[in-house]
Amino acid sequence: MVSTSLKPLDAAMAYPPRLWPRPIRWGNYLEVFHSEKANFLLWTRNTLIIAGLGVVGTVLSSALVAYGFAKIQFRGRGILFGIMLSTMMVPFPVTMVSLFSLFKWLGDHTGTPWLGTFKPLWIPAWFGSAFNVFLLRQFFLTIPTEISEAARIDGCSEFGFSGASSFRWPSPH
């Protein structure tokens, strides 16, 4: 890809393709960034914002739910976890039309437009992902219960311990 980006247009379309560009055109990058047809910097900014919000939302929401399934005892926990896992069997094309209808309804009834904005791209990430919840739950099950009990004795809340165990222990030391 880098090789092709440094070629003139005729060399990029040549068959058979050549691995090394002759001549090398560094000006192709300047043309992309200063083009009137394509606002590459805006596209890059939008991508970083959407990806950043999506990652933060997925990590926070999935970690909280996973900690609840792994460490907090409540009635029906296994059944709820099974229902959540069963949502992974539903392919996205099955839910696509209903999601579009939901976003349209939200725009019509909240006074805030949803269609034609970036909201449908990042807000669903803040509701967790079944696969990520499963993966993090498996990690939380490896944390000894004695550690969380010791943290509670020291005055740490359940929320505080879930945050500490979510973000400190999985990171490299």
mmCIF file with all atom_site columns, all heavy atoms in Angstrom, residues 60-80:
data_model
loop_
_atom_site.group_PDB
_atom_site.id
_atom_site.type_symbol
_atom_site.label_atom_id
_atom_site.label_alt_id
_atom_site.label_comp_id
_atom_site.label_asym_id
_atom_site.label_entity_id
_atom_site.label_seq_id
_atom_site.pdbx_PDB_ins_code
_atom_site.Cartn_x
_atom_site.Cartn_y
_atom_site.Cartn_z
_atom_site.occupancy
_atom_site.B_iso_or_equiv
_atom_site.pdbx_formal_charge
_atom_site.auth_seq_id
_atom_site.auth_comp_id
_atom_site.auth_asym_id
_atom_site.auth_atom_id
_atom_site.pdbx_PDB_model_num
ATOM 1   N N   . LEU A 1 60 ? -15.511 0.537   29.298 1.00 0.00 ? 60 LEU A N   1
ATOM 2   C CA  . LEU A 1 60 ? -16.149 0.871   30.575 1.00 0.00 ? 60 LEU A CA  1
ATOM 3   C C   . LEU A 1 60 ? -17.412 0.049   30.812 1.00 0.00 ? 60 LEU A C   1
ATOM 4   O O   . LEU A 1 60 ? -17.585 -0.550  31.876 1.00 0.00 ? 60 LEU A O   1
ATOM 5   C CB  . LEU A 1 60 ? -16.478 2.363   30.623 1.00 0.00 ? 60 LEU A CB  1
ATOM 6   C CG  . LEU A 1 60 ? -15.300 3.314   30.779 1.00 0.00 ? 60 LEU A CG  1
ATOM 7   C CD1 . LEU A 1 60 ? -15.772 4.758   30.744 1.00 0.00 ? 60 LEU A CD1 1
ATOM 8   C CD2 . LEU A 1 60 ? -14.554 3.043   32.065 1.00 0.00 ? 60 LEU A CD2 1
ATOM 9   N N   . SER A 1 61 ? -18.299 0.026   29.831 1.00 0.00 ? 61 SER A N   1
ATOM 10  C CA  . SER A 1 61 ? -19.573 -0.672  30.046 1.00 0.00 ? 61 SER A CA  1
ATOM 11  C C   . SER A 1 61 ? -19.377 -2.186  30.137 1.00 0.00 ? 61 SER A C   1
ATOM 12  O O   . SER A 1 61 ? -19.978 -2.842  30.992 1.00 0.00 ? 61 SER A O   1
ATOM 13  C CB  . SER A 1 61 ? -20.570 -0.320  28.940 1.00 0.00 ? 61 SER A CB  1
ATOM 14  O OG  . SER A 1 61 ? -20.072 -0.689  27.677 1.00 0.00 ? 61 SER A OG  1
ATOM 15  N N   . SER A 1 62 ? -18.538 -2.744  29.296 1.00 0.00 ? 62 SER A N   1
ATOM 16  C CA  . SER A 1 62 ? -18.322 -4.192  29.342 1.00 0.00 ? 62 SER A CA  1
ATOM 17  C C   . SER A 1 62 ? -17.638 -4.614  30.630 1.00 0.00 ? 62 SER A C   1
ATOM 18  O O   . SER A 1 62 ? -17.952 -5.664  31.199 1.00 0.00 ? 62 SER A O   1
ATOM 19  C CB  . SER A 1 62 ? -17.492 -4.647  28.132 1.00 0.00 ? 62 SER A CB  1
ATOM 20  O OG  . SER A 1 62 ? -18.187 -4.395  26.936 1.00 0.00 ? 62 SER A OG  1
ATOM 21  N N   . ALA A 1 63 ? -16.698 -3.806  31.116 1.00 0.00 ? 63 ALA A N   1
ATOM 22  C CA  . ALA A 1 63 ? -15.999 -4.155  32.355 1.00 0.00 ? 63 ALA A CA  1
ATOM 23  C C   . ALA A 1 63 ? -16.947 -4.115  33.548 1.00 0.00 ? 63 ALA A C   1
ATOM 24  O O   . ALA A 1 63 ? -16.885 -4.992  34.419 1.00 0.00 ? 63 ALA A O   1
ATOM 25  C CB  . ALA A 1 63 ? -14.823 -3.206  32.585 1.00 0.00 ? 63 ALA A CB  1
ATOM 26  N N   . LEU A 1 64 ? -17.832 -3.135  33.603 1.00 0.00 ? 64 LEU A N   1
ATOM 27  C CA  . LEU A 1 64 ? -18.773 -3.064  34.724 1.00 0.00 ? 64 LEU A CA  1
ATOM 28  C C   . LEU A 1 64 ? -19.729 -4.254  34.732 1.00 0.00 ? 64 LEU A C   1
ATOM 29  O O   . LEU A 1 64 ? -19.979 -4.863  35.777 1.00 0.00 ? 64 LEU A O   1
ATOM 30  C CB  . LEU A 1 64 ? -19.562 -1.760  34.660 1.00 0.00 ? 64 LEU A CB  1
ATOM 31  C CG  . LEU A 1 64 ? -18.802 -0.513  35.101 1.00 0.00 ? 64 LEU A CG  1
ATOM 32  C CD1 . LEU A 1 64 ? -19.625 0.738   34.816 1.00 0.00 ? 64 LEU A CD1 1
ATOM 33  C CD2 . LEU A 1 64 ? -18.447 -0.592  36.564 1.00 0.00 ? 64 LEU A CD2 1
ATOM 34  N N   . VAL A 1 65 ? -20.259 -4.585  33.563 1.00 0.00 ? 65 VAL A N   1
ATOM 35  C CA  . VAL A 1 65 ? -21.191 -5.712  33.481 1.00 0.00 ? 65 VAL A CA  1
ATOM 36  C C   . VAL A 1 65 ? -20.464 -7.023  33.778 1.00 0.00 ? 65 VAL A C   1
ATOM 37  O O   . VAL A 1 65 ? -20.973 -7.888  34.507 1.00 0.00 ? 65 VAL A O   1
ATOM 38  C CB  . VAL A 1 65 ? -21.869 -5.742  32.099 1.00 0.00 ? 65 VAL A CB  1
ATOM 39  C CG1 . VAL A 1 65 ? -22.721 -6.985  31.934 1.00 0.00 ? 65 VAL A CG1 1
ATOM 40  C CG2 . VAL A 1 65 ? -22.708 -4.495  31.892 1.00 0.00 ? 65 VAL A CG2 1
ATOM 41  N N   . ALA A 1 66 ? -19.270 -7.177  33.231 1.00 0.00 ? 66 ALA A N   1
ATOM 42  C CA  . ALA A 1 66 ? -18.506 -8.413  33.446 1.00 0.00 ? 66 ALA A CA  1
ATOM 43  C C   . ALA A 1 66 ? -18.162 -8.598  34.918 1.00 0.00 ? 66 ALA A C   1
ATOM 44  O O   . ALA A 1 66 ? -18.241 -9.710  35.452 1.00 0.00 ? 66 ALA A O   1
ATOM 45  C CB  . ALA A 1 66 ? -17.240 -8.392  32.601 1.00 0.00 ? 66 ALA A CB  1
ATOM 46  N N   . TYR A 1 67 ? -17.791 -7.518  35.593 1.00 0.00 ? 67 TYR A N   1
ATOM 47  C CA  . TYR A 1 67 ? -17.488 -7.615  37.016 1.00 0.00 ? 67 TYR A CA  1
ATOM 48  C C   . TYR A 1 67 ? -18.730 -8.043  37.793 1.00 0.00 ? 67 TYR A C   1
ATOM 49  O O   . TYR A 1 67 ? -18.656 -8.876  38.701 1.00 0.00 ? 67 TYR A O   1
ATOM 50  C CB  . TYR A 1 67 ? -16.964 -6.279  37.550 1.00 0.00 ? 67 TYR A CB  1
ATOM 51  C CG  . TYR A 1 67 ? -16.590 -6.359  39.005 1.00 0.00 ? 67 TYR A CG  1
ATOM 52  C CD1 . TYR A 1 67 ? -15.355 -6.859  39.392 1.00 0.00 ? 67 TYR A CD1 1
ATOM 53  C CD2 . TYR A 1 67 ? -17.484 -5.969  39.988 1.00 0.00 ? 67 TYR A CD2 1
ATOM 54  C CE1 . TYR A 1 67 ? -15.014 -6.965  40.722 1.00 0.00 ? 67 TYR A CE1 1
ATOM 55  C CE2 . TYR A 1 67 ? -17.146 -6.066  41.328 1.00 0.00 ? 67 TYR A CE2 1
ATOM 56  C CZ  . TYR A 1 67 ? -15.913 -6.558  41.687 1.00 0.00 ? 67 TYR A CZ  1
ATOM 57  O OH  . TYR A 1 67 ? -15.577 -6.668  43.013 1.00 0.00 ? 67 TYR A OH  1
ATOM 58  N N   . GLY A 1 68 ? -19.866 -7.499  37.422 1.00 0.00 ? 68 GLY A N   1
ATOM 59  C CA  . GLY A 1 68 ? -21.112 -7.890  38.086 1.00 0.00 ? 68 GLY A CA  1
ATOM 60  C C   . GLY A 1 68 ? -21.421 -9.366  37.901 1.00 0.00 ? 68 GLY A C   1
ATOM 61  O O   . GLY A 1 68 ? -21.814 -10.045 38.849 1.00 0.00 ? 68 GLY A O   1
ATOM 62  N N   . PHE A 1 69 ? -21.241 -9.865  36.687 1.00 0.00 ? 69 PHE A N   1
ATOM 63  C CA  . PHE A 1 69 ? -21.505 -11.282 36.442 1.00 0.00 ? 69 PHE A CA  1
ATOM 64  C C   . PHE A 1 69 ? -20.490 -12.187 37.138 1.00 0.00 ? 69 PHE A C   1
ATOM 65  O O   . PHE A 1 69 ? -20.801 -13.314 37.510 1.00 0.00 ? 69 PHE A O   1
ATOM 66  C CB  . PHE A 1 69 ? -21.502 -11.583 34.945 1.00 0.00 ? 69 PHE A CB  1
ATOM 67  C CG  . PHE A 1 69 ? -22.811 -11.284 34.263 1.00 0.00 ? 69 PHE A CG  1
ATOM 68  C CD1 . PHE A 1 69 ? -22.839 -10.545 33.105 1.00 0.00 ? 69 PHE A CD1 1
ATOM 69  C CD2 . PHE A 1 69 ? -24.006 -11.756 34.762 1.00 0.00 ? 69 PHE A CD2 1
ATOM 70  C CE1 . PHE A 1 69 ? -24.029 -10.276 32.456 1.00 0.00 ? 69 PHE A CE1 1
ATOM 71  C CE2 . PHE A 1 69 ? -25.205 -11.489 34.141 1.00 0.00 ? 69 PHE A CE2 1
ATOM 72  C CZ  . PHE A 1 69 ? -25.218 -10.743 32.982 1.00 0.00 ? 69 PHE A CZ  1
ATOM 73  N N   . ALA A 1 70 ? -19.267 -11.712 37.307 1.00 0.00 ? 70 ALA A N   1
ATOM 74  C CA  . ALA A 1 70 ? -18.221 -12.565 37.877 1.00 0.00 ? 70 ALA A CA  1
ATOM 75  C C   . ALA A 1 70 ? -18.199 -12.540 39.400 1.00 0.00 ? 70 ALA A C   1
ATOM 76  O O   . ALA A 1 70 ? -17.982 -13.576 40.024 1.00 0.00 ? 70 ALA A O   1
ATOM 77  C CB  . ALA A 1 70 ? -16.855 -12.147 37.341 1.00 0.00 ? 70 ALA A CB  1
ATOM 78  N N   . LYS A 1 71 ? -18.420 -11.391 40.022 1.00 0.00 ? 71 LYS A N   1
ATOM 79  C CA  . LYS A 1 71 ? -18.142 -11.257 41.453 1.00 0.00 ? 71 LYS A CA  1
ATOM 80  C C   . LYS A 1 71 ? -19.344 -10.940 42.336 1.00 0.00 ? 71 LYS A C   1
ATOM 81  O O   . LYS A 1 71 ? -19.267 -11.104 43.543 1.00 0.00 ? 71 LYS A O   1
ATOM 82  C CB  . LYS A 1 71 ? -17.089 -10.150 41.670 1.00 0.00 ? 71 LYS A CB  1
ATOM 83  C CG  . LYS A 1 71 ? -15.736 -10.503 41.107 1.00 0.00 ? 71 LYS A CG  1
ATOM 84  C CD  . LYS A 1 71 ? -15.144 -11.664 41.854 1.00 0.00 ? 71 LYS A CD  1
ATOM 85  C CE  . LYS A 1 71 ? -13.784 -12.036 41.317 1.00 0.00 ? 71 LYS A CE  1
ATOM 86  N NZ  . LYS A 1 71 ? -13.237 -13.197 41.977 1.00 0.00 ? 71 LYS A NZ  1
ATOM 87  N N   . ILE A 1 72 ? -20.439 -10.472 41.771 1.00 0.00 ? 72 ILE A N   1
ATOM 88  C CA  . ILE A 1 72 ? -21.587 -10.112 42.596 1.00 0.00 ? 72 ILE A CA  1
ATOM 89  C C   . ILE A 1 72 ? -22.618 -11.232 42.525 1.00 0.00 ? 72 ILE A C   1
ATOM 90  O O   . ILE A 1 72 ? -23.066 -11.598 41.426 1.00 0.00 ? 72 ILE A O   1
ATOM 91  C CB  . ILE A 1 72 ? -22.185 -8.760  42.148 1.00 0.00 ? 72 ILE A CB  1
ATOM 92  C CG1 . ILE A 1 72 ? -21.132 -7.661  42.300 1.00 0.00 ? 72 ILE A CG1 1
ATOM 93  C CG2 . ILE A 1 72 ? -23.428 -8.441  42.960 1.00 0.00 ? 72 ILE A CG2 1
ATOM 94  C CD1 . ILE A 1 72 ? -21.556 -6.318  41.772 1.00 0.00 ? 72 ILE A CD1 1
ATOM 95  N N   . GLN A 1 73 ? -22.975 -11.781 43.671 1.00 0.00 ? 73 GLN A N   1
ATOM 96  C CA  . GLN A 1 73 ? -23.937 -12.873 43.722 1.00 0.00 ? 73 GLN A CA  1
ATOM 97  C C   . GLN A 1 73 ? -25.357 -12.295 43.710 1.00 0.00 ? 73 GLN A C   1
ATOM 98  O O   . GLN A 1 73 ? -25.684 -11.437 44.517 1.00 0.00 ? 73 GLN A O   1
ATOM 99  C CB  . GLN A 1 73 ? -23.742 -13.685 45.012 1.00 0.00 ? 73 GLN A CB  1
ATOM 100 C CG  . GLN A 1 73 ? -22.366 -14.293 45.163 1.00 0.00 ? 73 GLN A CG  1
ATOM 101 C CD  . GLN A 1 73 ? -22.089 -15.376 44.141 1.00 0.00 ? 73 GLN A CD  1
ATOM 102 O OE1 . GLN A 1 73 ? -22.991 -16.091 43.729 1.00 0.00 ? 73 GLN A OE1 1
ATOM 103 N NE2 . GLN A 1 73 ? -20.839 -15.491 43.727 1.00 0.00 ? 73 GLN A NE2 1
ATOM 104 N N   . PHE A 1 74 ? -26.180 -12.748 42.766 1.00 0.00 ? 74 PHE A N   1
ATOM 105 C CA  . PHE A 1 74 ? -27.590 -12.375 42.748 1.00 0.00 ? 74 PHE A CA  1
ATOM 106 C C   . PHE A 1 74 ? -28.377 -13.484 42.072 1.00 0.00 ? 74 PHE A C   1
ATOM 107 O O   . PHE A 1 74 ? -27.834 -14.280 41.316 1.00 0.00 ? 74 PHE A O   1
ATOM 108 C CB  . PHE A 1 74 ? -27.813 -11.016 42.066 1.00 0.00 ? 74 PHE A CB  1
ATOM 109 C CG  . PHE A 1 74 ? -27.330 -10.929 40.646 1.00 0.00 ? 74 PHE A CG  1
ATOM 110 C CD1 . PHE A 1 74 ? -28.170 -11.228 39.582 1.00 0.00 ? 74 PHE A CD1 1
ATOM 111 C CD2 . PHE A 1 74 ? -26.023 -10.530 40.367 1.00 0.00 ? 74 PHE A CD2 1
ATOM 112 C CE1 . PHE A 1 74 ? -27.719 -11.143 38.269 1.00 0.00 ? 74 PHE A CE1 1
ATOM 113 C CE2 . PHE A 1 74 ? -25.571 -10.433 39.070 1.00 0.00 ? 74 PHE A CE2 1
ATOM 114 C CZ  . PHE A 1 74 ? -26.422 -10.742 38.014 1.00 0.00 ? 74 PHE A CZ  1
ATOM 115 N N   . ARG A 1 75 ? -29.651 -13.523 42.382 1.00 0.00 ? 75 ARG A N   1
ATOM 116 C CA  . ARG A 1 75 ? -30.508 -14.572 41.861 1.00 0.00 ? 75 ARG A CA  1
ATOM 117 C C   . ARG A 1 75 ? -30.713 -14.371 40.361 1.00 0.00 ? 75 ARG A C   1
ATOM 118 O O   . ARG A 1 75 ? -30.974 -13.264 39.896 1.00 0.00 ? 75 ARG A O   1
ATOM 119 C CB  . ARG A 1 75 ? -31.850 -14.539 42.582 1.00 0.00 ? 75 ARG A CB  1
ATOM 120 C CG  . ARG A 1 75 ? -32.548 -15.855 42.578 1.00 0.00 ? 75 ARG A CG  1
ATOM 121 C CD  . ARG A 1 75 ? -33.646 -15.918 43.595 1.00 0.00 ? 75 ARG A CD  1
ATOM 122 N NE  . ARG A 1 75 ? -34.446 -14.699 43.632 1.00 0.00 ? 75 ARG A NE  1
ATOM 123 C CZ  . ARG A 1 75 ? -35.743 -14.665 43.780 1.00 0.00 ? 75 ARG A CZ  1
ATOM 124 N NH1 . ARG A 1 75 ? -36.400 -15.789 43.923 1.00 0.00 ? 75 ARG A NH1 1
ATOM 125 N NH2 . ARG A 1 75 ? -36.385 -13.543 43.823 1.00 0.00 ? 75 ARG A NH2 1
ATOM 126 N N   . GLY A 1 76 ? -30.593 -15.442 39.599 1.00 0.00 ? 76 GLY A N   1
ATOM 127 C CA  . GLY A 1 76 ? -30.796 -15.389 38.158 1.00 0.00 ? 76 GLY A CA  1
ATOM 128 C C   . GLY A 1 76 ? -29.564 -14.972 37.377 1.00 0.00 ? 76 GLY A C   1
ATOM 129 O O   . GLY A 1 76 ? -29.640 -14.702 36.181 1.00 0.00 ? 76 GLY A O   1
ATOM 130 N N   . ARG A 1 77 ? -28.423 -14.901 38.045 1.00 0.00 ? 77 ARG A N   1
ATOM 131 C CA  . ARG A 1 77 ? -27.196 -14.463 37.394 1.00 0.00 ? 77 ARG A CA  1
ATOM 132 C C   . ARG A 1 77 ? -26.828 -15.357 36.218 1.00 0.00 ? 77 ARG A C   1
ATOM 133 O O   . ARG A 1 77 ? -26.497 -14.877 35.140 1.00 0.00 ? 77 ARG A O   1
ATOM 134 C CB  . ARG A 1 77 ? -26.057 -14.432 38.413 1.00 0.00 ? 77 ARG A CB  1
ATOM 135 C CG  . ARG A 1 77 ? -24.743 -13.963 37.842 1.00 0.00 ? 77 ARG A CG  1
ATOM 136 C CD  . ARG A 1 77 ? -23.706 -13.832 38.911 1.00 0.00 ? 77 ARG A CD  1
ATOM 137 N NE  . ARG A 1 77 ? -23.295 -15.161 39.379 1.00 0.00 ? 77 ARG A NE  1
ATOM 138 C CZ  . ARG A 1 77 ? -22.184 -15.374 40.065 1.00 0.00 ? 77 ARG A CZ  1
ATOM 139 N NH1 . ARG A 1 77 ? -21.394 -14.369 40.388 1.00 0.00 ? 77 ARG A NH1 1
ATOM 140 N NH2 . ARG A 1 77 ? -21.863 -16.588 40.437 1.00 0.00 ? 77 ARG A NH2 1
ATOM 141 N N   . GLY A 1 78 ? -26.892 -16.665 36.409 1.00 0.00 ? 78 GLY A N   1
ATOM 142 C CA  . GLY A 1 78 ? -26.536 -17.604 35.337 1.00 0.00 ? 78 GLY A CA  1
ATOM 143 C C   . GLY A 1 78 ? -27.484 -17.512 34.153 1.00 0.00 ? 78 GLY A C   1
ATOM 144 O O   . GLY A 1 78 ? -27.057 -17.557 32.993 1.00 0.00 ? 78 GLY A O   1
ATOM 145 N N   . ILE A 1 79 ? -28.777 -17.354 34.434 1.00 0.00 ? 79 ILE A N   1
ATOM 146 C CA  . ILE A 1 79 ? -29.755 -17.249 33.350 1.00 0.00 ? 79 ILE A CA  1
ATOM 147 C C   . ILE A 1 79 ? -29.543 -15.960 32.561 1.00 0.00 ? 79 ILE A C   1
ATOM 148 O O   . ILE A 1 79 ? -29.552 -15.962 31.326 1.00 0.00 ? 79 ILE A O   1
ATOM 149 C CB  . ILE A 1 79 ? -31.190 -17.331 33.919 1.00 0.00 ? 79 ILE A CB  1
ATOM 150 C CG1 . ILE A 1 79 ? -31.436 -18.733 34.469 1.00 0.00 ? 79 ILE A CG1 1
ATOM 151 C CG2 . ILE A 1 79 ? -32.222 -16.963 32.875 1.00 0.00 ? 79 ILE A CG2 1
ATOM 152 C CD1 . ILE A 1 79 ? -32.714 -18.877 35.246 1.00 0.00 ? 79 ILE A CD1 1
ATOM 153 N N   . LEU A 1 80 ? -29.336 -14.846 33.276 1.00 0.00 ? 80 LEU A N   1
ATOM 154 C CA  . LEU A 1 80 ? -29.086 -13.575 32.585 1.00 0.00 ? 80 LEU A CA  1
ATOM 155 C C   . LEU A 1 80 ? -27.810 -13.634 31.751 1.00 0.00 ? 80 LEU A C   1
ATOM 156 O O   . LEU A 1 80 ? -27.753 -13.110 30.636 1.00 0.00 ? 80 LEU A O   1
ATOM 157 C CB  . LEU A 1 80 ? -29.003 -12.425 33.585 1.00 0.00 ? 80 LEU A CB  1
ATOM 158 C CG  . LEU A 1 80 ? -30.314 -11.918 34.143 1.00 0.00 ? 80 LEU A CG  1
ATOM 159 C CD1 . LEU A 1 80 ? -30.067 -10.859 35.207 1.00 0.00 ? 80 LEU A CD1 1
ATOM 160 C CD2 . LEU A 1 80 ? -31.174 -11.359 33.027 1.00 0.00 ? 80 LEU A CD2 1
#
